[in-house]
Amino acid sequence: MTRPFFSGVSRRDFLKTCMTATALMGLPLEAVRRVAEAAQSPGRPPVIWLHFQECTGCSESLLRSSHPTLASLILDLVSLDYQETLMAGSGEQAEKALEDSIKENRGKYILVVEGAIPTQNEGVYCKVGGKTALESLSRAAPGAAAIVSIGTCASYGGIQAADPNPTGAVGVSNVVNQKPIINIPGCPPSPYNFLSTILYIQTFKKMPVLDQLGRPMFAYGRRIHEHCERRPHFDAGRFAEKFGDDGHRQGFCLYKIGCKGPATFANCSVQRFNDTGTWPVSVGHPCIGCTEPDVVFKTSIFDKVQIHSLTPPDTYPAAVVEEKGKGADPLTTGVVGLVAGAALGAGAMLVKRLPKEVGDEKSD
Amino acid sequence: MKSQTRRGFLKCFGLAGTVLAVGRAGFASEGAINDNGVGLLYDATRCVGCKACVAACKRANDLPPEKGSFDPEGIWDAPADLDGKTRNIVKLYRESESVWSYVKVQCMHCMKPSCVSVCPVSAMQQDADGRVFYDKTRCIGCRMCMVACPFIVPRFQWEKPLPQIVKCDLCKFSEVPRKGKPACAGVCPTEAVQYGRRRQLLAEAKRRTETNPGRYRSYVYGEHEVGGTNVLYLASAAVPFDKLGLPNLPNEAPAAFSEKIQHRIYKGFMAPLALYATLFFVATLNRKKLSKGGEKEEER
């Protein structure tokens, strides 16, 4: 073997991670072998990783995960030619590495973009090595085999693009066209979604199936709400009404304190985070809808979201509708009849007493 | 058309209508009851009340959600009954902790459906498989079907400017062409709803009641009611059918009875002819009287 297992990763951990990634792609168990082979293949795809308007949270969530396997897998899986957070070199030297990689691996490298691209005033709001984000991206994009936008900022503009968006920040797909773009939104996205996407391309040499927002269907095909552990509370109408109240302490549904789960497509409620099975909702914070361009940074975290695909609650209407009250009793009927009769009689008498013809009266 | 007089036009119209009416009556009359249609068998003792069928029905037939009276924010699809947005619903009868039952409510698909019989424009129809379905392109919105149905199934879209009738058609146009069975039967996790030929379903229902007399009420609802229905019900021994909203109904189909009278009267356009003949007779009589009276007047 040219390379043993990844440095610092046991065979067991390696296979476990491959297994998780394969399951996440929705592939059968037999596919694990192919994925593991692809992960060990010596021909590592070159990756250029550009950072623009961002907080480096996406990189951080990848690197600082409690378990080292994931980060080492990703970093060993690819030949990371340029990554501002991780590379040893700096200044001219680093920029040269970028130029060289773009030239050398033309048409082969995967371009990973982290962060939004400012477009206002020719994009002066974000410069790396004296070049604006727009310039860097338009330099690197044409030679890329595929572009992966990691994080909500690179996918849709993210927090920079929130109203009033002073820098005119946009996502990669607004700047680059005619290139396959895979969006891995999230703030930060699950590192497994990124790993699975890279492994998918490695193993099958093609793009995963994407939804209309450019997200891989295997990770973003369903709403968080559909697999949420608090869902039974939603169906039963047991809600936390405000933070810290009795319902909140009891672990009731967070919808009424702003959970965006019913409108958010992502696999957080299945894959969880930090290799420990936690995620925001499990610790009592409502989902903020960070994978949805129309939800996060567009609506308040604590506003209730409109639910579009409504489902039945776990209450039931009665099989036989009870009759609405009892009918009028005889006494009431009699009294009402008498009054009505008297009124009718009085009316008739009144008519009799009226002058015979109106015309007569006038002529008098 | 310019030379067409009003009188001529109306005459022509009447004649065409007559021909059509005779043709229709001849076609629709004396249709033998088809007892090999498709239908559902709902077993209330198997139902776990998960409402998967309610959600699946809405998805398959593209029906909007209905707000519940207890749910001002509209976060659930919580219809209280069948309505203009709901073709299928699961209800609950609860007498005590131990005596209770779910019941799924949808069109019973009568073998001799009253709604089809009363519809003046054949918007309600029954197909060769016994499914009763609705053709919105023909409907004139008279809502006679709603009055006629003994199970109060057809519902009206009261809130819409161009309303339609809403009722179960056993997914005739939606799920059956795609997956071979209605959405409710396809999604049911406990096979409480089964789809199939009525004869087979009836045999299966009887097998269950006979082999499990302690569990089931020894009666298959829908076997005889109003001439028999394609949707059959089994219920727990402890719960009478009328408590589940399934009324005690005669075994004869009202539609068969009324059609017998109507089709006899109108056979060969008899009744209108008789009426017109009588009118003609009265008119001639009066004409004679009038002309005689006129003569007398002149004499004076």
Side-chain angles (χ1 to χ4, degrees), chain A residues 66-149:
Chain A
S66 60
H67 223 252
T69 320
L70 192 56
S72 20
L73 236 190
I74 293 170
L75 298 178
D76 286 355
L77 191 64
V78 297
S79 152
L80 200 54
D81 290 358
Y82 181 87
Q83 220 272 20
E84 282 146 20
T85 315
L86 297 175
M87 62 193 172
S90 62
E92 295 290 336
Q93 194 191 2
E95 293 308 299
K96 192 174 176 303
L98 174 63
E99 277 301 310
D100 290 349
S101 183
I102 290 174
K103 267 188 208 136
E104 246 172 66
N105 303 309
R106 199 171 171 76
K108 281 186 284 181
Y109 61 87
I110 297 173
L111 178 66
V112 179
V113 181
E114 188 179 340
I117 299 107
T119 55
Q120 205 63 260
N121 302 329
E122 277 121 36
V124 292
Y125 301 105
C126 177
K127 279 189 171 180
V128 178
K131 281 184 287 186
T132 64
L134 269 175
E135 283 166 356
S136 305
L137 187 61
S138 48
R139 177 93 185 85
I147 302 177
V148 178
S149 307

Side-chain angles (χ1 to χ4, degrees), chain B residues 77-88:
Chain B
D77 172 24
D81 203 345
L82 297 177
D83 56 41
K85 298 167 183 167
T86 312
R87 292 183 181 188
N88 171 43

Side-chain angles (χ1 to χ4, degrees), chain A:
Chain A
M1 250 162 110
T2 47
R3 246 171 358 122
F5 292 109
F6 310 91
S7 46
V9 179
S10 70
R11 179 180 162 77
R12 187 184 166 79
D13 278 349
F14 170 72
L15 285 176
K16 263 168 78 180
T17 310
C18 282
M19 190 92 85
T20 311
T22 312
L24 208 60
M25 288 184 237
L27 296 173
L29 194 61
E30 304 88 73
V32 175
R33 200 171 49 83
R34 286 184 66 186
V35 172
E37 272 168 14
Q40 292 178 90
S41 69
R44 299 184 298 163
V47 166
I48 296 174
W49 192 305
L50 296 177
H51 292 251
F52 298 133
Q53 284 184 312
E54 42 88 359
C55 65
T56 322
C58 302
S59 294
E60 287 291 331
S61 81
L62 205 72
L63 301 169
R64 310 276 177 219
S65 53
S66 60
H67 223 252
T69 320
L70 192 56
S72 20
L73 236 190
I74 293 170
L75 298 178
D76 286 355
L77 191 64
V78 297
S79 152
L80 200 54
D81 290 358
Y82 181 87
Q83 220 272 20
E84 282 146 20
T85 315
L86 297 175
M87 62 193 172
S90 62
E92 295 290 336
Q93 194 191 2
E95 293 308 299
K96 192 174 176 303
L98 174 63
E99 277 301 310
D100 290 349
S101 183
I102 290 174
K103 267 188 208 136
E104 246 172 66
N105 303 309
R106 199 171 171 76
K108 281 186 284 181
Y109 61 87
I110 297 173
L111 178 66
V112 179
V113 181
E114 188 179 340
I117 299 107
T119 55
Q120 205 63 260
N121 302 329
E122 277 121 36
V124 292
Y125 301 105
C126 177
K127 279 189 171 180
V128 178
K131 281 184 287 186
T132 64
L134 269 175
E135 283 166 356
S136 305
L137 187 61
S138 48
R139 177 93 185 85
I147 302 177
V148 178
S149 307
I150 187 167
T152 301
C153 300
S155 299
Y156 313 119
I159 193 162
Q160 291 76 220
D163 196 49
N165 194 359
T167 64
V170 294
V172 175
S173 50
N174 293 63
V175 179
V176 180
N177 35 36
Q178 290 156 356
K179 275 283 159 196
I181 300 174
I182 303 169
N183 290 333
I184 315 278
C187 196
S190 164
Y192 272 102
N193 291 347
F194 179 69
L195 170 73
S196 295
T197 306
I198 298 288
L199 271 177
Y200 190 97
I201 298 172
Q202 271 280 74
T203 311
F204 302 106
K205 310 288 179 220
K206 63 171 186 186
M207 299 271 284
V209 181
L210 305 177
D211 69 2
Q212 75 274 15
L213 288 168
R215 306 175 290 197
M217 283 296 277
F218 66 75
Y220 298 89
R222 287 185 181 181
R223 291 179 185 85
I224 279 176
H225 193 52
E226 289 171 35
H227 293 282
C228 182
E229 69 260 32
R230 296 187 190 228
R231 179 63 184 269
H233 294 301
F234 176 87
D235 288 343
R238 293 187 293 264
F239 295 101
E241 302 283 341
K242 56 183 187 199
F243 283 92
D245 74 354
D246 197 44
H248 196 212
R249 282 158 202 248
Q250 299 214 45
F252 289 173
C253 175
L254 305 170
Y255 171 73
K256 288 195 175 176
I257 51 175
C259 184
K260 308 292 189 288
T264 304
F265 287 83
N267 56 358
C268 308
S269 49
V270 178
Q271 178 52 33
R272 316 292 178 95
F273 284 84
N274 302 334
D275 299 329
T276 54
T278 61
W279 65 302
V281 169
S282 74
V283 296
H285 195 282
C287 164
I288 63 169
C290 69
T291 65
E292 292 294 324
D294 295 331
V295 176
V296 71
F297 311 128
K298 297 273 167 68
T299 56
S300 158
I301 287 176
F302 309 111
D303 277 351
K304 268 176 282 190
V305 72
Q306 179 68 45
I307 305 176
H308 288 294
S309 58
L310 296 177
T311 49
D314 74 355
T315 54
Y316 301 87
V320 181
V321 180
E322 280 145 43
E323 279 172 34
K324 283 171 192 164
K326 53 185 170 86
D329 62 311
L331 188 68
T332 319
T333 318
V335 170
V336 170
L338 279 176
V339 171
L344 207 67
M349 292 308 288
L350 199 70
V351 170
K352 258 190 181 175
R353 292 213 187 147
L354 283 175
K356 279 269 162 64
E357 276 179 45
V358 186
D360 292 352
E361 230 171 346
K362 272 186 188 165
S363 61
D364 285 346

